[in-house]
């Protein structure tokens, strides 16, 4: 379930009295391989998403923090056992956090499109 409070990808939640955020994404299909591995898996489409997230949180009167993250997601639409009418979005995300000068990899199981 999604939280109503958006935290930049790759960062952890911290509580604040006031909080704002913004995000920019660019999504595009890379190619349509339509590869079948027997009756088990069908890889239908490979996609990329480039993103930049920024947030500011502050407590009254003085504490203020800014969070940023940027990165790329590579995902593919798959159909398992050819049983599902819809596909499953599966892939990986690389997130870079400039404040910490670190990058992390995450596994993505995004959605079951209906």
């Amino acid at each position: 379930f999604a939280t109503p409070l958006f935290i930049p990808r790759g960062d952890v939640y911290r509580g604040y009295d006031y909080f704002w955020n913004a995000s920019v994404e660019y999504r595009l299909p890379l190619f349509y391989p339509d590869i079948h591995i027997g009756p088990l898996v069908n890889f239908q489409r490979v996609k990329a998403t480039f993103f930049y997230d920024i947030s500011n949180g502050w407590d009254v009167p003085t504490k203020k923090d800014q969070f940023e993250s940027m990165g790329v997601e590579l995902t593919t639409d798959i159909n398992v056992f050819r049983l599902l009418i819809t596909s499953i979005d599966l892939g990986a995300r690389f997130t870079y956090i400039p404040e910490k000068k670190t990058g992390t990899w995450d596994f993505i199981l995004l959605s079951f499109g209906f």
Side-chain angles (χ1 to χ4, degrees):
F1 297 98
T3 175
L5 184 61
F6 178 79
I7 304 298
R9 286 166 262 209
D11 218 332
V12 295
Y13 173 76
R14 298 174 189 108
Y16 292 96
D17 292 335
Y18 301 97
F19 195 81
W20 74 262
N21 58 50
S23 180
V24 176
E25 287 188 359
Y26 181 72
R27 297 175 184 230
L28 70 152
L30 296 177
F31 58 95
Y32 295 83
D34 201 20
I35 297 172
H36 304 276
I37 300 177
L40 301 177
V41 179
N42 177 20
F43 294 92
Q44 298 171 343
R45 176 174 52 174
V46 177
K47 305 169 290 191
T49 302
F50 301 92
F51 64 88
Y52 175 77
D53 302 328
I54 186 168
S55 295
N56 279 314
W58 63 96
D59 292 325
V60 176
T62 59
K63 184 181 176 186
K64 184 173 183 180
D65 295 319
Q66 179 171 321
F67 310 100
E68 292 179 274
S69 69
M70 60 189 76
V72 62
E73 297 176 354
L74 294 173
T75 58
T76 182
D77 293 337
I78 65 170
N79 192 312
V80 181
F81 300 120
R82 298 183 188 175
L83 295 176
L84 299 174
I85 295 171
T86 61
S87 59
I88 299 170
D89 210 7
L90 181 71
R93 173 190 302 139
F94 178 76
T95 306
Y96 177 72
I97 301 175
E99 167 189 324
K100 298 176 183 175
K101 294 183 175 53
T102 60
T104 60
W105 284 97
D106 296 311
F107 173 75
I108 299 175
L109 179 58
L110 281 178
S111 63
F112 294 87
F114 292 102

